[in-house]
Amino acid sequence: MPTIRDVAKLAGVAPITVSRVINDTSYVSQETRGRVESAIEELGYVPNMLGPSLRFQQTLTLAVVITDITNPFWTTVTRGVEDIAQANGYSTILCNTDESDEKQDQYLHMLLRRRIDGILLVPACSDAKPIELIRKQAIPVVVLDRRIPDVDVDIVRADSEAGAYQLTQHLISLGHRNIMMLAGPKSVSTSVDRVDGYQNALREANLPENTSHVVWGNYSQEAGYQMTQEVLTLTPRPTAIFAANNFVAVGVMQALQEQGIRVPQDIALVAFDDLPSTFTITPFFTVARQPAREMGQRATQLLLERIKGASDVPCQHVILPTQVIIRASSGERIAA
Amino acid sequence: MPTIRDVAKLAGVAPITVSRVINDTSYVSQETRGRVESAIEELGYVPNMLGPSLRFQQTLTLAVVITDITNPFWTTVTRGVEDIAQANGYSTILCNTDESDEKQDQYLHMLLRRRIDGILLVPACSDAKPIELIRKQAIPVVVLDRRIPDVDVDIVRADSEAGAYQLTQHLISLGHRNIMMLAGPKSVSTSVDRVDGYQNALREANLPENTSHVVWGNYSQEAGYQMTQEVLTLTPRPTAIFAANNFVAVGVMQALQEQGIRVPQDIALVAFDDLPSTFTITPFFTVARQPAREMGQRATQLLLERIKGASDVPCQHVILPTQVIIRASSGERIAA
DNA sequence: TTTCGCTATGGTATGGGTAACATGATACGC
DNA sequence: GCGTATCATGTTACCCATACCATAGCGAAA
């Protein structure tokens, strides 16, 4: 593969002159420029970034570490990241941890060895360790979507609590008094926040304490399916179900359909996270939609500011609003 | 950030000794090893890959260039790539071109500047240029999913033609004689192959020439929606529709539902590519499923062999079989 | 005429890890 | 007692692009 020296030799100039032609950083005569450009063309020269990366400790690379690449919510967040990264001349590396702490650790070490310039992290656990690991290398990091207790770090997330509060309120306003919450893992802050929002709505509606029913599981379709089967054996049977995310909601629907239970006639259903329109033939779920792309954009802007040296500014905690979209799955007002 | 020299100084040894401890490449006494390990721990030292990458022209990085990150088919292929890459000590960079030739070009140049070790490319167009660009830098490349005419290059793809042939045959066996094919772009080989499979099936069933009806569009839900609206104005109305991919199928369903046309009672529907089970509440579409994850794995194995220097072996063209899954959307046998 | 600024080009040092080579020390066999 | 194998550690050079400093010609202002 040709180097800048090969180009220089062919054009009869010094390497630095070739560099100047490529980056337009200083005076080069038209005549010399022409010779250099021909040489570049002839050799098919592509500059090697690794030299400057090593020299100037800057790789112009960001990393996005997400927990589930099959969830369109995360791929949409990733697009938001790319929007801003690309506009600022940065490339992105996408890492998928599958919610595994171990995989996350592997990826983080890999990223540190590569000396990437910044990390956008969706933590696989509510642990301070990964943040400390990154901080020790003085690499800027912005946490996405999830709170981490007892760590002062930049965070960009959606308002899970308010969204869950509104969804629950919507169900209550329709007359529901026995609402089942099918939550994600206890170790993930969004899951905890959504349960809090749900319980706050119940409390503020002055419903008796024992109306709160929460089943903890995880953010997957299988979990939604199993939790629903469990819930259907209860008496009295809940009149509404709150699914903590989109995958859980699909699992719920599968279990209900299998048992011949109709939504919303027999049981009302609401969920967090919208499903992508590219897959849902008829939008059906009443949901709290998170501004996924904007989350990615905001987080990346913040990260780039940190990279550019705003290290004295105190850590920010950006909370974006969710949007409740009422559709068929939550049904009409029911009799008391 | 500490370097190997800082560690060496603290441990009272030469940098190379630290290197030997980390990589276990030569003799180091237990006592020295202990001192070095403590120093690494104390400084929180993480080796900088950029040094060796520059020196030995090896970044231990592969790139996957896909055309649509929102399509789970491609994220599944990507997982297959990661399976093999990670097992061999390689990291992957994921690039999303959105079927744009220009974006593809930008990404490829970025990857070349980074001196990644190999590229898995889903070409955004049937053009030989991107391959030539990569080849000029002597970087191994394996093409995924799509044929490129007049270029000798390794390819791993699914058998679009056979899958389309079988799906069409299935419709014919159910009595359909007026089957509409809603294809992808003419510039993408899978689209062309699926049309060929469809037409071959018609021909072999000895159906009259004029039974072949193809509308060219692209692989999106919007296109499926629009093409369907167009098709519904035809007389006689087709009794069956063949959607060239999963997104198109969803668009078809939306258009049909809007017009109150039932599937499969009024129109039968088959499609290429399965929808992920995490989204589909009840699997409904009769589809030809491609072995996505396996495609990624096979392609990566091949790429790694090329990287390890099997450059004299002639280019391979791996074609994996598709699997036809018959579900409700294609319906029962109809009257002639 | 001298000084200054602008144009145009080049030499050298730098960054971090490690292959290749070099240097000792100890141990063992004959 | 000497050659040889093994253990243990160190020195130097290298990869590539470019910031920094240096050089020199030329025209214009002082």
Side-chain angles (χ1 to χ4, degrees):
Chain A
M1 221 164 332
T3 74
I4 202 169
R5 264 159 272 269
D6 300 320
V7 177
K9 201 173 292 177
L10 185 60
V13 296
I16 187 72
T17 303
V18 178
S19 171
R20 289 202 255 254
V21 170
I22 293 169
N23 304 307
D24 209 23
T25 44
S26 178
Y27 307 103
V28 177
S29 70
Q30 268 311 315
E31 197 252 318
T32 308
R33 178 175 303 255
R35 281 212 320 282
V36 169
E37 277 165 354
S38 314
I40 288 173
E41 182 66 27
E42 192 180 330
L43 296 173
Y45 171 66
V46 178
N48 184 344
M49 263 187 66
L50 294 171
S53 283
L54 178 61
R55 177 77 168 80
F56 304 109
Q57 322 265 28
Q58 198 199 27
T59 50
L60 293 175
T61 310
L62 306 182
V64 201
V65 181
I66 61 175
T67 52
D68 186 358
I69 200 182
T70 62
N71 192 331
F73 174 68
W74 294 122
T75 51
T76 308
V77 169
T78 304
R79 294 190 143 211
V81 172
E82 285 219 314
D83 292 341
I84 304 300
Q86 206 159 19
N88 287 272
Y90 283 79
S91 317
T92 51
I93 294 185
L94 179 61
C95 305
N96 173 42
T97 63
D98 275 327
E99 300 275 7
S100 148
D101 220 8
E102 208 177 314
K103 263 190 160 183
Q104 174 178 291
D105 214 54
Q106 274 178 26
Y107 272 121
L108 289 180
H109 273 100
M110 181 272 278
L111 295 170
L112 295 177
R113 282 198 304 273
R114 279 170 196 277
R115 295 296 192 267
I116 51 143
D117 296 332
I119 298 181
L120 293 152
L121 177 70
V122 183
C125 61
S126 297
D127 201 330
K129 267 184 212 156
I131 303 297
E132 284 164 7
L133 172 70
I134 299 166
R135 283 275 173 78
K136 194 152 189 182
Q137 305 303 315
I139 291 180
V141 59
V142 172
V143 170
L144 265 168
D145 187 60
R146 299 176 181 182
R147 289 180 293 107
I148 300 185
D150 311 321
V151 184
D152 190 35
V153 63
D154 290 307
I155 297 190
V156 176
R157 63 184 180 94
D159 198 339
S160 278
E161 198 180 321
Y165 178 89
Q166 288 170 56
L167 280 177
T168 310
Q169 215 174 33
H170 169 62
L171 288 174
I172 294 171
S173 78
L174 293 175
H176 293 280
R177 293 298 176 265
N178 186 357
I179 304 166
M180 202 76 205
M181 168 97 200
L182 304 188
K186 271 189 177 165
S187 58
V188 172
S189 75
T190 53
S191 176
V192 174
D193 291 350
R194 286 165 202 180
V195 169
D196 284 353
Y198 157 81
Q199 290 179 330
N200 287 345
L202 296 181
R203 205 168 13 247
E204 286 196 18
N206 289 316
L207 297 184
E209 271 300 315
N210 64 1
T211 43
S212 166
H213 304 293
V214 179
V215 183
W216 298 90
N218 62 62
Y219 285 149
S220 74
Q221 163 224 7
E222 293 81 22
Y225 183 84
Q226 279 168 22
M227 289 190 285
T228 306
Q229 286 186 322
E230 209 174 294
V231 159
L232 289 177
T233 63
L234 298 175
T235 45
R237 204 171 75 180
T239 63
I241 290 178
F242 182 152
N245 92 334
N246 48 9
F247 285 171
V248 171
V250 172
V252 171
M253 279 300 290
Q254 288 174 332
L256 293 178
Q257 252 183 16
E258 227 176 79
Q259 310 250 339
I261 298 168
R262 297 165 305 163
V263 176
Q265 295 92 328
D266 304 328
I267 286 188
L269 177 60
V270 301
F272 227 93
D273 292 343
D274 207 0
L275 290 173
S277 66
T278 35
F279 281 130
T280 34
I281 289 152
T282 327
F284 173 68
F285 290 146
T286 292
V287 295
R289 172 194 273 162
Q290 307 188 67
R293 193 153 185 160
E294 197 190 338
M295 273 177 65
Q297 292 175 338
R298 289 290 291 272
T300 311
Q301 275 160 350
L302 190 50
L303 184 64
L304 288 175
E305 280 168 33
R306 294 295 181 197
I307 290 171
K308 274 160 201 153
S311 56
D312 46 344
V313 183
C315 283
Q316 291 187 41
H317 196 137
V318 178
I319 301 177
L320 301 174
T322 59
Q323 179 197 4
V324 169
I325 304 169
I326 293 169
R327 300 208 189 93
S329 76
S330 53
E332 305 284 315
R333 208 182 147 68
I334 62 164
Chain B
M1 222 161 336
T3 73
I4 203 168
R5 268 159 263 266
D6 300 320
V7 176
K9 204 174 287 177
L10 185 60
V13 295
I16 187 72
T17 303
V18 178
S19 170
R20 289 202 257 253
V21 169
I22 292 168
N23 303 306
D24 210 23
T25 44
S26 176
Y27 306 103
V28 178
S29 69
Q30 267 310 312
E31 196 251 319
T32 307
R33 179 176 301 259
R35 281 212 318 282
V36 169
E37 278 166 353
S38 313
I40 289 173
E41 181 66 26
E42 192 182 327
L43 296 173
Y45 171 67
V46 178
N48 183 344
M49 262 186 68
L50 295 171
S53 283
L54 179 60
R55 179 73 168 81
F56 304 108
Q57 322 265 29
Q58 195 198 30
T59 50
L60 292 175
T61 309
L62 306 181
V64 200
V65 181
I66 61 174
T67 51
D68 186 357
I69 199 180
T70 63
N71 192 332
F73 174 68
W74 293 122
T75 52
T76 308
V77 169
T78 303
R79 295 191 143 210
V81 172
E82 285 219 315
D83 291 341
I84 304 300
Q86 206 158 20
N88 288 273
Y90 283 79
S91 317
T92 51
I93 294 184
L94 179 62
C95 305
N96 173 43
T97 62
D98 276 327
E99 301 274 7
S100 148
D101 220 7
E102 209 177 314
K103 265 190 159 184
Q104 173 178 290
D105 215 54
Q106 274 178 26
Y107 271 122
L108 289 181
H109 273 100
M110 181 272 279
L111 295 170
L112 295 177
R113 282 198 303 275
R114 279 169 196 278
R115 296 294 193 266
I116 51 144
D117 296 332
I119 298 181
L120 293 151
L121 176 69
V122 183
C125 62
S126 296
D127 200 331
K129 268 185 211 153
I131 302 297
E132 282 163 8
L133 173 70
I134 299 167
R135 283 274 173 79
K136 193 150 190 184
Q137 304 302 316
I139 290 179
V141 58
V142 172
V143 170
L144 265 167
D145 188 61
R146 299 174 181 182
R147 287 179 295 106
I148 300 184
D150 311 321
V151 183
D152 189 36
V153 63
D154 290 305
I155 296 191
V156 175
R157 63 183 181 95
D159 197 339
S160 278
E161 196 179 325
Y165 178 87
Q166 288 170 56
L167 280 176
T168 310
Q169 215 176 30
H170 169 62
L171 288 173
I172 294 172
S173 78
L174 292 175
H176 292 280
R177 292 296 175 268
N178 186 357
I179 304 167
M180 201 75 205
M181 169 98 200
L182 304 187
K186 271 189 179 166
S187 58
V188 172
S189 75
T190 54
S191 177
V192 175
D193 290 350
R194 286 167 202 178
V195 169
D196 283 353
Y198 156 82
Q199 291 179 328
N200 286 345
L202 295 181
R203 205 168 11 249
E204 287 198 15
N206 289 316
L207 297 184
E209 271 301 315
N210 64 0
T211 42
S212 168
H213 304 294
V214 179
V215 183
W216 298 91
N218 63 62
Y219 285 149
S220 75
Q221 162 224 7
E222 294 80 23
Y225 182 84
Q226 279 167 24
M227 288 190 284
T228 306
Q229 286 186 322
E230 206 175 297
V231 159
L232 290 177
T233 64
L234 298 176
T235 44
R237 201 170 79 181
T239 62
I241 291 178
F242 182 152
N245 91 335
N246 48 9
F247 286 171
V248 172
V250 172
V252 170
M253 278 301 290
Q254 288 174 334
L256 293 180
Q257 252 183 17
E258 228 177 76
Q259 310 250 341
I261 297 168
R262 296 165 304 163
V263 176
Q265 295 91 330
D266 303 330
I267 285 189
L269 177 60
V270 301
F272 225 93
D273 292 343
D274 207 0
L275 290 172
S277 66
T278 37
F279 282 130
T280 34
I281 289 153
T282 327
F284 173 66
F285 289 146
T286 291
V287 296
R289 171 193 273 161
Q290 307 188 66
R293 193 154 186 158
E294 197 190 339
M295 272 175 66
Q297 293 175 338
R298 288 289 292 273
T300 311
Q301 276 161 348
L302 189 50
L303 184 63
L304 288 175
E305 278 167 34
R306 293 295 180 197
I307 290 173
K308 275 161 200 153
S311 54
D312 47 344
V313 182
C315 283
Q316 290 187 41
H317 197 137
V318 178
I319 302 176
L320 301 174
T322 60
Q323 178 198 4
V324 170
I325 304 170
I326 294 169
R327 300 208 190 93
S329 76
S330 54
E332 306 283 315
R333 212 185 142 66
I334 62 164

